[in-house]
Amino acid sequence: MRFPTALSAAILLASSAIAPAYGAQHFTVGNMPSYYQGTFGTNSNISIFYDATYFQFQNNRLRLKLTVPYISVAGLPQGAQLAGGGIATRSGTTQTHSASGLGDIWLAAHYTVYQGQGLLPAVVPYAKIKFGTASSSQGLGTGRNDYELGFGLDETIGTRIFPFVHLGYRFVGNPSGQNLRNILTYDAGSSFAVTKSNVLTAMYSGSQSEQPGYSGPSDLILAWNYNVTRAGSGFQIYADKGLSNGSANYGVGAGAQIVF
């Protein structure tokens, strides 16, 4: 399972590429509730409701995005903790509990250093901060900040196809008494504009596991975005199929965004 930060970024990227002439800069406000179910490499069946509200500013080169999530989880083993991509720490206990509250807040900045031309893709370095705002005592987070640096290659083929690939390295905050490790994150896929209003996205998303000895999340994601306005306001639905023991068995989500 991958919480839908990468998915919403890919959808926003495709929407912006479809309507580049709308304006030099714009603001986006969106919300994407999601539900995931699976074992995530534990001995328990875990259900996660992840409701992400995001705020974004974008111009021709810079994109700033703040994501504020609410999390509700059931069946979480005692001592296990969630993270940005799934379960950061696991325990062997069969005792479980439920919890809900504020998740980890994310702040991301992307800057296009090369706009792309012909067969050469746009080059977009990025930096992300995961603030440890989720309750570590309830298992909603580790209570530590994470920092990620990476870059993306975003291509435009004709007027309808928008392939992308992103690679990052996350410096994982390590709570006292634990042995979490830094990880690689990666995703690749493409959006396809069926019409100016209908955008389909298929992508693979994965990462290493913060906890040594366990599989990291690995997911196949399919999404449909419908743009109501030329600027990209609209809604989206998606389905997530976990491909590894570290992912959810499945996930589904639906959301909407308003672009000013």
Side-chain angles (χ1 to χ4, degrees):
M1 179 269 288
R2 302 292 295 166
F3 293 150
T5 53
L7 171 66
S8 59
I11 291 174
L12 288 168
L13 171 67
S15 298
S16 299
I18 292 169
Y22 179 78
Q25 65 183 37
H26 55 260
F27 297 89
T28 301
V29 178
N31 179 259
M32 184 175 287
S34 305
Y35 174 80
Y36 302 92
Q37 189 274 331
T39 62
F40 302 92
T42 71
N43 296 320
S44 175
N45 191 34
I46 302 171
S47 299
I48 300 174
F49 174 70
Y50 186 86
D51 188 4
T53 300
Y54 52 91
F55 308 88
Q56 179 171 273
F57 166 81
Q58 182 172 353
N59 60 25
N60 290 333
R61 289 189 178 270
L62 177 65
R63 177 159 57 91
L64 298 173
K65 183 179 180 183
L66 179 70
T67 303
V68 182
Y70 169 85
I71 299 178
S72 180
V73 58
L76 187 67
Q78 296 288 352
Q81 295 176 321
L82 302 179
I87 305 294
T89 61
R90 299 162 178 84
S91 65
T93 180
T94 57
Q95 295 182 333
T96 64
H97 72 287
S98 299
S100 60
L102 177 67
D104 290 325
I105 295 174
W106 284 84
L107 178 63
H110 297 71
Y111 188 80
T112 302
V113 298
Y114 177 68
Q115 294 281 12
Q117 185 176 3
L119 297 177
L120 296 177
V123 180
V124 189
Y126 71 83
K128 296 180 181 180
I129 302 175
K130 185 208 79 176
F131 298 100
T133 51
S135 171
S136 59
S137 62
Q138 292 295 314
L140 299 179
T142 64
R144 294 290 190 271
N145 292 357
D146 292 352
Y147 305 90
E148 183 173 330
L149 297 174
F151 71 94
L153 300 176
D154 304 323
E155 180 64 287
T156 298
I157 301 176
T159 59
R160 292 180 179 271
I161 303 175
F162 309 95
F164 56 86
V165 60
H166 305 106
L167 179 65
Y169 187 78
R170 185 175 301 170
F171 299 89
V172 175
N174 196 16
S176 178
Q178 298 186 16
N179 187 31
L180 301 185
R181 63 181 180 181
N182 299 334
I183 61 172
L184 288 172
T185 67
Y186 36 85
D187 64 70
S190 183
S191 294
F192 176 72
V194 181
T195 66
K196 289 185 177 181
S197 296
N198 292 276
V199 183
L200 301 178
T201 301
M203 63 182 293
Y204 168 79
S205 180
S207 75
Q208 296 175 300
S209 173
E210 292 96 333
Q211 189 175 16
Y214 291 89
S215 299
S218 177
D219 297 79
L220 178 63
I221 301 167
L222 299 175
W224 170 57
N225 190 73
Y226 182 78
N227 294 326
V228 177
T229 70
R230 291 177 56 242
S233 296
F235 58 87
Q236 54 273 151
I237 59 175
Y238 81 95
D240 181 317
K241 175 57 182 175
L243 304 177
S244 76
N245 192 41
S247 296
N249 183 38
Y250 70 89
V252 293
Q257 62 193 36
I258 300 175
V259 182
F260 303 92

